[in-house]
C-alpha cells in the first residue's frame, strides 16, 4: 500500500492530524513509539474540549482556581469564572487520541522513526518495528512530522530543525493527599521562584487521585530533581508516594518554516508551537496537527506542494499575536525574582485576572475591553519602571 500520508509521532498533534485525514477519506499511517509519557501539567482549556470533542471520561479533575505564588511566598488566588480548566493524564489521554484515530481509519504502526528515503515514486518512511526490531517501510505521498521537540524528522529534513531553543521540563506524578492547608484538588498552583526555576516556573497541578509536581528551565546546571523536591517540600507533598518521574524538552518558539516545499510538513512540538510564558502545549499541538492535516489534504487534492506552507500561515493567523504577547511577558517578568514578585503583584489586578483567563479559555485576545487593556498596559509600565512598590497589591 502507498499511503496518502504517514504521520510520524502519536502524541496529541500527530493523532489529531491522522484522525482528521482519515475522516477526510485519506489512507493514513500513524507511526508512534508508544510507551513514552510526556511530562505535562495536563491542563486543557474549554475551547479544546469543544473543538476536539473530548469526552468527560478523559478529565481527571476540573480546576476552578489558579494560585500564583511569588518568591517571597505571597500568593493570589484567581477564580476561573464561568467554567473550569480540565485536567488530563497524558498516559491515558494520548492513547485515547491514538485509538480514536485508528477507529476513524488510520493504520497504527509501532516503532522508531529512522529516516526518509525518496525515489521516483515519492517518499518512503523507514522505521524499526518495536516487536521484531526489523526495518520496515511505509510508502507515502506526504509525511507529517509530529515527533516532538527534538524531532528526528525535523533534524533530518528541515534547515534549523536541530537548533530550536527549548526548556527542559521535569515532573513527578504523585499520589495526591486529601485537601490540606497547602494543597487543594480544585486548584492549580504556579510557583514563580528562582530557587525552583531561575527562568521559568514550578507547578502543582491536581490530577484527581494523583498530582503533577514539576518545573522547567533552560539554564544549564540546574538540578531538576532537587528543585522538584524543594517544590514538593514547600507544597507539603514531600511524603506522598511517587508514581513515576518524567522529563522532556519544551520548545520556546515556532520554527520559521514548517514544510520542505515538496512532501513534508511539521506539526506540534516539532514545529515549536508551545505558548511562551505558560508553556501550554496540548491545545496548540492539536491545532498544529489540525492545520497540518488541512494543508496536507489541500496538497493531496490540488497536487501543489506549496499548499503545505498554509499550515504555518493558518496557525499564525490565529495565534501569532497571543504568542507575541506571552513572549513579551516572559521576557519582561521571568528574568529575576524581583520581576517575578512584581508579576504576582500585578496578578492581584481584576483587569489582569479577567482578561488573562478569558484569553486562556477562548484562545484569543479579548478586544471588547479597550480601557482594561489600557489600564493593564499602564500598570505594566509602572511595575517595570519601579514606579510602584514591589509589594504593591
Amino acid at each position: 500500500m502507498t499511503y496518502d500520508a504517514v504521520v510520524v509521532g502519536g502524541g496529541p498533534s500527530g493523532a489529531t492530524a491522522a484522525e482528521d485525514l482519515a475522516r477526510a477519506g485519506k489512507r493514513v499511517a500513524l507511526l508512534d513509539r508508544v510507551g513514552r509519557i510526556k511530562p505535562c501539567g495536563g491542563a486543557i482549556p474549554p475551547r479544546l474540549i469543544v473543538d476536539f470533542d473530548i469526552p468527560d471520561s478523559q478529565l481527571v479533575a476540573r480546576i476552578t482556581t489558579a494560585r500564583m505564588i511569588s518568591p517571597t511566598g505571597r500568593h493570589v488566588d484567581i477564580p476561573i469564572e464561568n467554567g473550569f480548566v480540565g485536567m488530563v493524564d497524558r498516559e491515558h489521554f494520548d492513547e485515547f487520541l491514538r485509538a480514536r484515530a485508528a477507529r476513524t481509519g488510520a493504520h497504527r504502526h509501532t516503532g522508531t522513526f529512522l529516516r526518509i528515503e525518496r525515489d521516483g515514486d515519492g517518499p518512503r518512511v523507514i522505521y524499526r518495528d518495536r516487536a521484531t526490531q526489523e526495518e520496515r517501510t511505509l510508502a507515502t505521498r506526504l509525511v507529517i512530522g509530529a515527533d516532538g521537540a527534538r524531532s528526528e524528522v525535523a533534524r533530518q529534513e528541515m534547515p534549523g530543525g536541530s537548533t530550536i531553543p527549548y526548556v527542559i521540563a521535569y515532573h513527578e506524578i504523585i499520589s495526591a493527599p486529601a485537601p490540606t492547608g497547602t494543597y487543594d484538588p480544585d486548584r492549580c498552583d504556579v510557583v514563580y521562584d528562582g530557587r525552583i526555576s531561575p527562568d521559568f516556573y514550578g507547578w502543582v497541578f491536581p490530577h484527581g487521585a494523583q498530582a503533577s509536581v514539576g518545573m522547567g528551565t533552560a539554564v544549564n546546571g540546574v538540578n531538576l530533581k532537587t528543585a522538584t523536591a524543594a517544590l514538593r517540600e514547600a507544597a507539603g507533598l514531600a511524603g506522598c508516594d511517587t508514581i513515576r518521574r518524567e522529563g522532556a524538552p519544551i520548545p520556546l518558539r515556532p520554527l520559521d518554516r514548517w514544510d520542505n516545499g515538496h512532501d513534508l510538513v511539521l506539526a506540534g512540538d516539532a514545529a515549536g508551537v508551545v505558548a511562551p510564558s505558560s508553556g501550554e502545549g496540548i491545545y496548540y499541538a492539536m491545532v498544529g496537527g489540525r492545520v497540518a492535516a488541512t494543508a496536507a489534504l489541500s496538497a493531496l487534492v490540488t497536487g501543489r506542494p506549496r499548499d503545505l506552507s498554509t499550515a504555518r500561515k493558518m496557525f499564525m493567523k490565529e495565534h501569532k499575536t497571543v504568542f507575541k504577547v506571552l513572549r513579551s511577558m516572559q521576557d519582561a517578568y521571568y528574568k529575576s525574582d524581583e520581576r517575578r514578585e512584581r508579576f504576582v503583584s500585578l496578578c492581584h489586578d481584576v483587569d489582569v485576572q479577567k482578561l488573562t483567563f478569558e484569553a486562556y479559555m477562548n484562545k484569543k485576545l479579548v478586544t471588547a475591553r479597550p480601557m482594561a487593556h489600557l489600564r493593564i498596559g499602564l500598570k505594566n509600565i509602572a511595575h517595570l519602571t519601579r514606579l510602584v512598590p514591589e509589594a504593591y497589591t
Side-chain angles (χ1 to χ4, degrees):
M1 175 185 291
T2 296
Y3 289 101
D4 293 309
V6 171
V7 181
V8 180
S13 185
T16 299
E19 180 184 355
D20 282 4
L21 284 168
R23 286 190 185 280
K26 298 304 176 183
R27 294 167 296 182
V28 184
L30 178 61
L31 172 63
D32 189 65
R33 289 184 296 174
V34 180
R36 174 185 175 275
I37 307 169
K38 182 179 178 181
C40 177
I44 60 172
R47 182 172 173 183
L48 183 154
I49 295 171
V50 173
D51 287 359
F52 296 97
D53 193 23
I54 304 303
D56 286 347
S57 60
Q58 285 300 310
L59 302 182
V60 295
R62 289 170 171 79
I63 300 304
T64 56
T65 305
R67 171 170 288 185
M68 309 299 181
I69 303 173
S70 79
T72 61
R74 293 187 307 121
H75 69 263
V76 54
D77 287 353
I78 304 176
I80 301 171
E81 298 179 352
N82 304 316
F84 62 89
V85 174
M87 304 300 294
V88 297
D89 189 326
R90 293 291 296 273
E91 179 181 11
H92 306 293
F93 182 68
D94 289 17
E95 177 56 24
F96 161 78
L97 295 175
R98 289 189 290 265
R100 188 167 70 175
R103 290 195 302 271
T104 306
H107 295 181
R108 291 184 65 173
H109 300 266
T110 303
T112 302
F113 169 81
L114 297 176
R115 62 190 180 276
I116 296 173
E117 297 179 352
R118 293 175 174 85
D119 55 27
D121 294 326
R124 292 177 292 128
V125 173
I126 314 300
Y127 73 99
R128 179 173 292 110
D129 183 79
R130 183 182 184 185
T132 67
Q133 294 301 300
E134 296 175 349
E135 287 194 10
R136 294 189 177 178
T137 299
L138 300 171
T140 185
R141 297 172 64 189
L142 296 175
V143 178
I144 296 178
D147 52 334
R150 287 176 175 166
S151 166
E152 186 63 20
V153 174
R155 188 190 70 79
Q156 293 183 22
E157 296 287 328
M158 296 294 296
S162 62
T163 59
I164 184 170
Y166 56 82
V167 301
I168 296 295
Y170 171 81
H171 80 159
E172 297 175 358
I173 296 293
I174 65 172
S175 295
T180 67
T182 54
Y183 178 80
D184 184 339
D186 298 322
R187 186 189 72 221
C188 282
D189 291 357
V190 184
V191 182
Y192 298 99
D193 187 339
R195 292 167 296 185
I196 302 299
S197 171
D199 59 332
F200 208 53
Y201 64 82
W203 67 83
V204 178
F205 285 1
H207 283 188
Q210 302 174 356
S212 164
V213 185
M215 48 78 69
T217 182
V219 177
N220 290 330
V222 174
N223 190 311
L224 308 181
K225 293 183 178 180
T226 299
T228 301
L231 179 57
R232 288 180 60 168
E233 182 72 33
L237 303 172
C240 296
D241 291 337
T242 301
I243 298 171
R244 65 179 192 262
R245 299 178 173 88
E246 298 150 358
I250 298 176
L252 289 175
R253 67 172 181 81
L255 290 174
D256 294 331
R257 182 166 181 169
W258 296 2
D259 71 287
N260 67 356
H262 301 290
D263 55 17
L264 183 144
V265 63
L266 302 177
D269 281 12
V273 291
V274 172
S277 178
S278 68
E280 182 191 358
I282 300 177
Y283 172 76
Y284 294 109
M286 295 180 75
V287 171
R290 177 149 290 173
V291 297
T294 302
L297 181 61
S298 177
L300 289 167
V301 171
T302 66
R304 296 191 302 253
R306 66 176 180 271
D307 287 0
L308 295 174
S309 66
T310 60
R312 190 180 192 278
K313 292 175 183 176
M314 286 186 286
F315 186 94
M316 289 301 176
K317 181 178 181 180
E318 183 167 3
H319 301 292
K320 180 179 180 179
T321 302
V322 171
F323 273 45
K324 185 176 181 179
V325 170
L326 291 175
R327 167 56 58 192
S328 298
M329 188 178 78
Q330 181 172 338
D331 290 344
Y333 285 108
Y334 286 19
K335 61 178 57 177
S336 70
D337 273 357
E338 189 267 344
R339 288 287 183 91
R340 296 184 189 96
E341 198 74 38
R342 290 180 177 277
F343 174 68
V344 173
S345 291
L346 190 63
C347 289
H348 282 81
D349 188 274
V350 174
D351 287 329
V352 172
Q353 294 180 12
K354 288 184 176 296
L355 291 183
T356 297
F357 272 95
E358 285 183 28
Y360 172 79
M361 304 277 269
N362 300 307
K363 291 302 166 214
K364 59 179 66 176
L365 293 179
V366 181
T367 59
R369 300 180 184 174
M371 292 308 297
H373 283 284
L374 177 60
R375 289 193 295 269
I376 290 172
L378 293 174
K379 291 166 186 172
N380 264 299
I381 293 171
H383 272 283
L384 295 174
T385 57
R386 296 184 173 86
L387 293 178
V388 295
E390 183 177 293
Y392 164 79
T393 59

